[in-house]
Amino acid sequence: MIGDTSQELHGTAKLNTNSFTIEMQKNALYHFQQLSSEYEKIAAHLHSQTKQLEQRQKQLDERQKQLDVDRLKFSQEKKMNMKATIEQKKAVEKVLRLAEDQRREKEKLHKRIIELERKLEAKQALELEIEHMRGALQVMKHMGEKRGMDMKIKMDKIQEELKEKDEELDDLEALNQALFVKERKSNDELQEARKELISYFEEQSGRAFIAVKKMGDLDTKPFQKAMKRKYSEEEANEKALELCSLWEQNLKDSSWHPFKVITDKGNCKEIIDEEDERLKYLQNEYGDEVYMAVTDALKEMNEYNPSGRYVVSELWNFKEGRKATLREGMEDILKKWRRLHKRKRT
């Protein structure tokens, strides 16, 4: 009896031990699974962060490369701008120097012209005096045949004076010729200065009061407006280009001379012949604006290049609608140059 009870207690204790062990194993397994799950989460999070950091690093590397490219590009542009500024400065200084030389030369030329006029008046007075002396000499020769030695002495004296006057006249003619050559040279230099200014302004961009105008260049806007009245917008542009091209060829045709000569206050001048068949057709078919565009280009060509009939560059005052003077061109350059230096200082 006692033995059976002891066996039961032993069995129960064994069973309890087994149950506790199993429970511990379950708890351990559960904790392991928890730790494993947590580890996987941490690992996944770390992997995600690593990917993000790698992506960020890649973006930073690309940005750095772009910054390097931009820095190099900026450096090159800066060098080019500096070079362009230096070249512009040289060009401006060259034109300024040339203009100043021409201003001084023009002042000298003005003085020479005054001197030339004075010498010309002296020459005319001298020529008149020589004529009088020659007339008097002829009279004395006629009278000398009757009056003898005294008259001959007077005649010899007049002849000597006449010889001196002739030499003086030759000197005046030589001086006048020298002044004429210098005047022509100065005018040539002034034209060269104008060409330099035109060349400088042709390289400038943007709208300005003083700029280069193409004399004889055909304005296309009236042609586009005229074609839009007849065709759709897409077709109108094509038709306007065709018509404009045709009239550009007409303008260059030196055999076509739609001008007539009139006398105005004793002066002869050429004006547009309104009865010219081509122009009458143009006006009737496409209107006054197109007609004015063509006749304006014709007048400019006839004034600036009547023999060649091609477009010529001219320094132009667009504010006043006329040919610009050298002084206006130089003043415009100086204003731009001062503004440029003012911006650099600020």
Side-chain angles (χ1 to χ4, degrees), residues 249-266:
Q249 294 302 316
N250 285 336
L251 289 171
K252 293 176 183 177
D253 182 6
S254 57
S255 65
W256 179 49
H257 194 75
F259 296 92
K260 61 183 179 181
V261 179
I262 63 168
T263 303
D264 182 25
K265 296 179 181 179

Side-chain angles (χ1 to χ4, degrees), residues 281-305:
Y281 168 80
L282 179 70
Q283 188 174 24
N284 293 334
E285 188 69 19
Y286 301 107
D288 292 339
E289 287 188 59
V290 173
Y291 172 82
M292 291 299 296
V294 171
T295 53
D296 285 347
L298 270 169
K299 285 185 278 190
E300 288 174 358
M301 277 190 172
N302 198 49
E303 179 181 356
Y304 283 86
N305 190 18

Side-chain angles (χ1 to χ4, degrees), residues 121-176:
E121 290 174 359
K123 178 186 172 184
Q124 290 171 345
L126 183 59
E127 286 175 340
L128 184 61
E129 185 180 353
I130 289 171
E131 283 299 316
H132 287 161
M133 289 178 72
R134 281 178 178 157
L137 187 61
Q138 289 297 324
V139 171
M140 286 184 177
K141 280 181 180 180
H142 181 69
M143 294 174 64
E145 294 173 357
K146 299 178 180 179
R147 295 193 177 181
M149 186 58 68
D150 290 340
M151 187 59 68
K152 185 177 184 305
I153 292 171
K154 288 182 179 180
M155 286 171 57
D156 290 341
K157 185 178 179 181
I158 291 176
Q159 282 182 329
E160 185 65 29
E161 290 177 358
L162 189 58
K163 183 181 177 182
E164 290 176 359
K165 296 293 183 182
D166 281 333
E167 289 175 354
E168 186 179 346
L169 182 61
D170 290 340
D171 291 340
L172 277 174
E173 287 178 347
L175 177 60
N176 287 343

Side-chain angles (χ1 to χ4, degrees), residues 95 99 190-204 208-215 300 303-304 312-333 336:
V95 175
L190 287 170
Q191 290 303 315
E192 284 300 316
R194 192 170 190 86
K195 286 179 183 178
E196 288 284 348
L197 273 177
I198 290 170
S199 176
Y200 170 80
F201 276 96
E202 280 181 328
E203 296 174 0
Q204 307 306 306
F209 290 144
I210 305 298
V212 173
K213 181 181 180 183
K214 302 293 184 181
M215 309 306 293
E300 288 174 358
E303 179 181 356
Y304 283 86
V312 175
S313 296
E314 180 57 275
L315 193 62
W316 197 256
N317 185 324
F318 283 90
K319 185 178 181 180
E320 299 183 13
R322 59 170 174 77
K323 181 178 175 180
T325 63
L326 277 174
R327 180 174 181 175
E328 287 172 334
M330 294 312 308
E331 287 175 348
D332 188 77
I333 290 175
K336 291 176 181 175

Side-chain angles (χ1 to χ4, degrees), residues 2 20 23 37 40 52 115-116 147 166 177 203 215-216 230 235-236 285 303-304 323:
I2 293 171
F20 179 74
E23 188 64 27
S37 176
E40 287 177 358
Q52 288 178 1
E115 184 182 356
L116 181 62
R147 295 193 177 181
D166 281 333
Q177 184 62 30
E203 296 174 0
M215 309 306 293
K230 295 189 174 188
E235 194 175 4
E285 188 69 19
E303 179 181 356
Y304 283 86
K323 181 178 175 180

Side-chain angles (χ1 to χ4, degrees), residues 94-109:
K94 179 182 177 182
V95 175
L96 287 173
R97 191 164 53 250
L98 182 60
E100 181 61 24
D101 291 343
Q102 296 313 309
R103 184 189 65 78
R104 287 196 294 265
E105 194 63 33
K106 195 171 182 180
E107 289 177 356
K108 290 179 184 178
L109 177 61

